[in-house]
């Protein structure tokens, strides 16, 4: 993964990239400045496409040569045909969507696989802020106060597993990362992941 | 200054004998038009900038808008002014003439050297006038394809244009997908809206209501429907701007006077500006051309040519697209561009889309818009890398 060091320091992005088979077609929903798309295009030689809400993000992506459309995950995924991508990726974005269930269903319809990474609201530091301080958690990774946060649908790893069951998604891989970016023990039970995983990455396919 | 005036070209002469390069075709290469007419003798006037590389792989075709011409990046011989898209095209510009061979041709139906209603009908020796066959956007593109053939170019690196130019870009991508490596349709639509057809009809009726139009035979009869064409241009020009842009530029400011004159003089600056726009337009543009070219835009509806499904026009395309619209453009609003993007997505095409922030209305694509330049530069450079340029 040495090459990817030049593209990103974000461990979750590298983990997502590892899950993608080289030479495939990938749609990154909420691609931001295009860091993951650029990483995938360079290291996995994928046909990389993106959707991004912010005008600045899209302009930046196009200026670095990526195929990115200004659009909204909540409304624009409906326009994509079935099976048009090998992977549809939602990186650190599901908590900001208005209808996470619908977004996930569209991802599983458009792509043969879906990859979702998200912050775990069940992490012990989150729990401790609510438990001891009685306040909504504010962390380095999630620095917003409750009144101005774009994140309107937080979930824990356990909650996300429930959503997967509701939409009939099948888990091919699931990885939890601790706050330092290390993988939480592979054979650990769910309650352990849910407590010590700062974020999680799921590789899903239709059930 | 005197020399400058002396050297201005006669618009009537330019229609047949343009001062730019021109390719003349005969019955061996007829122009087969959508209306069923086959032109056995026709010509296309064009300009080029930069140099074609040995592999002939660096050609960029720029398509002009309704009242544009082939003089995209050089002095216009009729007006004496600079090219109409020098902000975008030139050495070191987003479409860099140091790297790319840029071609721009006058459209069929136009009046600056490509065959149109102001050209001489070889059968009668008189101007075509309303005898000229009705033109479509696809006819314009067919004619350009003949020019590209004549220049020995098989595949274009990019086809770019805004407004009606963007319509031609989309038509190129739909009609000749293998010949278009990348496409840059700006501030445009895959079909002309009812509102836009309505505006065009007002303009055409203004021209035809002028007694000097003479049923379209004004060139033979030595008159010009300048008043009608001027009113058409004034009305159209408002649609190219936006309310905030008009307010910023003119507000309610008076023109060279302290108080209203209680008359129908051009008291307001905005009136004076529009009158000037109208008057300078009639100096350079043929009234019948205005009728034909606006009609071509009205007829444009790519989906209608593909069973009503726009995505079918782009099925299997390998072309890389970059679509852009402007927030204040109410003539070709963002929804029109989004419809194109949805169709391209459905066809699995490589497409980028951005709505750029500007208060300058539809004309923004022609003006100094740093975000448009950055987007274009990024798209063109990435496409050039993909093509090995």
């Amino acid at each position: 993964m040495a090459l990817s060091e030049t593209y990103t320091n974000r461990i979750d992005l590298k983990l997502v990239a590892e899950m993608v088979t080289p030479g495939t077609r990938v749609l990154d929903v909420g691609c931001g400045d295009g860091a993951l798309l650029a990483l995938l295009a360079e290291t996995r030689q994928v046909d990389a496409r993106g959707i991004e809400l912010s005008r600045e993000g899209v302009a930046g992506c196009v200026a670095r040569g990526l195929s990115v459309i200004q659009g909204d995950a909540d409304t624009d995924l409906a326009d994509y045909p079935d099976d048009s991508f090998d992977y549809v990726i939602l990186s650190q974005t599901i908590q900001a969507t208005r209808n996470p269930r619908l977004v996930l269903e569209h991802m599983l319809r458009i792509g043969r696989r879906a990859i979702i990474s998200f912050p775990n609201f069940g992490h012990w530091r989150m729990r401790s802020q609510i438990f001891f301080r009685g306040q909504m958690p504010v962390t380095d990774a999630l620095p917003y106060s409750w009144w101005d946060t774009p994140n309107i649908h937080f979930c824990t790893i356990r909650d996300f597993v429930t959503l997967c069951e509701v939409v009939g998604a099948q888990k091919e891989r699931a990885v939890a990362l601790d706050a330092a970016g290390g993988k939480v023990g592979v054979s650990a039970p769910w309650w352990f992941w849910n407590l010590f995983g700062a974020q999680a990455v799921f590789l899903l396919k239709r059930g | 200054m005197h020399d400058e005036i002396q050297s201005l070209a006669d618009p009537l002469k330019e229609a047949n004998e343009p001062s730019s390069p021109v390719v003349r075709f005969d019955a061996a290469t007829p122009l087969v038009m959508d209306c069923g007419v086959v032109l056995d003798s026709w010509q296309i006037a064009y300009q080029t900038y930069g140099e074609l590389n040995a592999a002939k792989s660096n050609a960029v075709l720029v398509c002009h808008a309704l009242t544009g011409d082939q003089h995209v990046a050089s002095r216009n011989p009729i007006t004496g002014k600079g090219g109409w898209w020098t902000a975008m095209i030139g050495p070191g510009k987003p479409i860099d003439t140091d790297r790319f061979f840029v071609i721009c041709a006058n459209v069929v139906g136009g009046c600056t050297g490509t065959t149109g209603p102001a050209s001489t009908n070889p059968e009668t020796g008189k101007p075509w006038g309303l005898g000229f066959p009705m033109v479509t956007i696809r006819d314009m593109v067919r004619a350009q394809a003949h020019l590209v053939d004549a220049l020995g170019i098989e595949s274009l690196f990019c086809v770019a244009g805004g407004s009606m130019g963007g319509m031609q870009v989309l038509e190129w991508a739909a009609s000749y997908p293998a010949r278009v490596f990348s496409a840059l349709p700006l501030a445009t639509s895959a079909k002309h809206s009812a509102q836009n057809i309505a505006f065009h009809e007002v303009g055409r009726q203004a021209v035809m209501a002028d007694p000097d139009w003479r049923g379209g035979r004004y060139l033979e009869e030595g008159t010009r429907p300048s008043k009608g064409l001027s009113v058409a241009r004034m009305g159209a020009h408002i649609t190219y701007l936006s309310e905030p842009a008009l307010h910023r530029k003119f507000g309610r400011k008076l023109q060279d006077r302290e108080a209203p004159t209680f008359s129908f003089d051009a008291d307001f600056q905005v009136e004076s500006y529009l009158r000037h726009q109208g008057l300078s337009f009639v100096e350079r543009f043929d009234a019948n051309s205005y009728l034909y070219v606006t009609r071509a835009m009205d007829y444009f509806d790519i989906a209608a040519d593909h069973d009503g499904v726009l995505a079918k026009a782009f099925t299997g395309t390998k072309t890389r697209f970059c679509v852009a619209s402007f927030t204040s453009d109410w003539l070709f609003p963002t929804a029109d561009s989004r419809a194109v993007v949805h169709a391209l997505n459905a066809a699995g095409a490589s497409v980028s889309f951005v709505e750029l922030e500007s208060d300058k209305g539809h004309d923004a694509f022609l003006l100094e818009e740093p975000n448009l330049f950055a987007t274009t530069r990024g798209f063109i450079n990435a496409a050039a890398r993909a093509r090995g340029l």
Side-chain angles (χ1 to χ4, degrees), chain B residues 49-89:
Chain B
Y49 310 88
E51 289 191 17
L52 188 61
N53 63 11
K56 299 186 175 181
S57 62
N58 69 336
V60 176
L61 179 71
V62 175
C63 303
H64 71 69
L66 170 58
T67 65
D69 48 46
Q70 67 271 38
H71 311 289
V72 59
S74 55
R75 179 182 177 276
N76 184 310
I78 298 171
T79 64
K81 291 180 181 162
W84 54 268
W85 217 6
T86 47
M88 184 67 93
I89 297 163

Side-chain angles (χ1 to χ4, degrees), chain A residues 147-165:
Chain A
W147 59 82
D148 66 357
T149 180
N151 302 318
I152 54 175
H153 276 126
F154 273 123
C155 66
T156 68
I157 293 177
R158 255 230 150 81
D159 290 330
F160 186 78
V161 171
T162 306
L163 176 61
C164 292
E165 286 161 5

Side-chain angles (χ1 to χ4, degrees), chain A residues 49 55 67-68 70 79-80, chain B residues 338 342 349-350 353 355 357:
Chain A
R49 312 283 173 83
R55 190 171 293 136
S67 289
V68 172
Q70 193 177 358
D79 297 320
Y80 286 81
Chain B
R338 280 203 179 278
H342 287 167
S350 166
F353 165 68
E355 181 191 39
E357 179 94 48

Side-chain angles (χ1 to χ4, degrees), chain B residues 47-259:
Chain B
Q47 286 281 16
T48 67
Y49 310 88
E51 289 191 17
L52 188 61
N53 63 11
K56 299 186 175 181
S57 62
N58 69 336
V60 176
L61 179 71
V62 175
C63 303
H64 71 69
L66 170 58
T67 65
D69 48 46
Q70 67 271 38
H71 311 289
V72 59
S74 55
R75 179 182 177 276
N76 184 310
I78 298 171
T79 64
K81 291 180 181 162
W84 54 268
W85 217 6
T86 47
M88 184 67 93
I89 297 163
K93 298 283 172 64
I95 298 175
D96 188 350
T97 51
D98 287 339
R99 298 177 65 199
F100 305 117
F101 178 64
V102 175
I103 310 161
C104 184
N106 186 213
V107 296
V108 170
C111 53
T112 57
T114 297
T115 303
S119 311
T120 305
N121 178 348
E123 281 179 19
T124 64
K126 293 175 181 170
W128 276 98
L130 294 196
F132 195 71
M134 205 53 83
V135 177
T136 65
I137 299 291
R138 195 155 58 175
D139 294 333
M140 297 174 181
V141 167
R142 275 195 202 106
Q144 289 160 1
H146 283 303
L147 170 66
V148 172
D149 288 340
L151 295 173
I153 296 161
E154 175 53 36
S155 147
L156 294 161
F157 163 61
C158 184
V159 184
S163 195
M164 188 183 86
M167 291 176 165
Q168 294 162 66
V169 173
L170 295 174
E171 188 63 59
W172 259 101
S175 293
Y176 305 99
R179 303 189 72 175
V180 183
F181 186 78
S182 65
L184 187 65
L186 306 173
T188 193
S189 174
K191 63 173 187 296
H192 218 213
S193 69
Q195 177 173 266
N196 289 1
I197 295 170
F199 281 126
H200 275 175
E201 176 59 3
V202 171
R204 284 190 295 263
Q205 289 301 328
V207 171
M208 293 191 241
D210 188 328
D212 284 336
W213 181 60
R214 306 281 170 100
R217 288 184 305 277
Y218 54 88
L219 289 177
E220 289 167 67
E221 302 191 9
T223 59
R224 294 287 180 279
S226 299
K227 290 201 174 78
L229 183 59
S230 176
V231 170
R233 176 63 167 178
M234 288 167 74
H237 199 82
I238 301 167
T239 69
Y240 305 150
L241 305 174
S242 70
E243 202 281 328
L246 283 171
H247 177 76
R248 176 166 43 76
K249 221 167 169 178
F250 308 107
R252 291 182 51 82
K253 288 194 285 270
L254 301 178
Q255 178 72 27
D256 302 328
R257 61 201 70 186
E258 298 297 315

Side-chain angles (χ1 to χ4, degrees), chain A:
Chain A
M1 290 300 289
L3 185 55
S4 67
E5 296 291 334
T6 55
Y7 294 97
T8 183
N9 296 318
R10 276 179 52 187
I11 293 172
D12 62 312
L13 296 192
K14 292 179 191 169
L15 195 59
V16 170
E18 280 179 46
M19 291 182 178
V20 171
T21 306
T24 50
R25 280 172 59 82
V26 176
L27 177 68
D28 184 5
V29 181
C31 62
D33 64 1
L36 176 60
L37 284 177
L39 174 73
L40 286 169
E42 292 292 336
T43 65
R44 312 302 275 183
Q45 294 78 44
V46 303
D47 182 351
R49 312 283 173 83
I51 301 179
E52 168 59 26
L53 192 57
S54 81
R55 190 171 293 136
E56 299 73 29
V58 178
C61 286
V62 176
R64 64 199 278 187
L66 298 165
S67 289
V68 172
I69 287 166
Q70 193 177 358
D72 186 337
D74 275 302
T75 54
D76 294 341
L77 290 180
D79 297 320
Y80 286 81
D82 297 356
D83 292 320
S84 40
F85 290 91
D86 296 303
Y87 298 92
V88 180
I89 298 170
L90 192 64
S91 170
Q92 306 289 329
T93 304
I94 196 165
Q95 75 281 359
T97 63
R98 283 189 298 282
N99 193 333
R101 176 182 173 167
L102 194 62
V103 168
L104 184 58
E105 284 172 341
H106 274 308
M107 290 174 68
L108 291 161
R109 176 184 65 77
I110 298 165
R112 292 180 180 81
R113 300 275 189 289
I115 301 175
I116 296 103
S117 77
F118 60 93
N120 173 27
F121 218 63
H123 187 252
W124 66 268
R125 286 185 62 192
M126 303 283 190
R127 299 190 197 196
S128 72
Q129 284 197 32
I130 295 179
F131 189 82
F132 290 112
R133 294 168 57 192
Q135 289 185 320
M136 286 299 281
V138 177
T139 65
D140 289 345
L142 298 165
Y144 304 101
S145 299
W146 69 271
W147 59 82
D148 66 357
T149 180
N151 302 318
I152 54 175
H153 276 126
F154 273 123
C155 66
T156 68
I157 293 177
R158 255 230 150 81
D159 290 330
F160 186 78
V161 171
T162 306
L163 176 61
C164 292
E165 286 161 5
V166 168
V167 303
Q170 206 176 316
K171 292 183 291 291
E172 290 210 326
R173 263 187 88 183
V175 180
L177 298 172
D178 61 30
K183 289 180 191 173
V184 178
V186 183
S187 56
W190 279 113
W191 70 263
F192 190 84
W193 280 34
N194 208 24
L195 194 55
F196 294 105
Q199 50 181 315
V201 184
F202 279 69
L203 174 64
L204 306 174
K205 68 172 185 180
R206 264 166 266 166

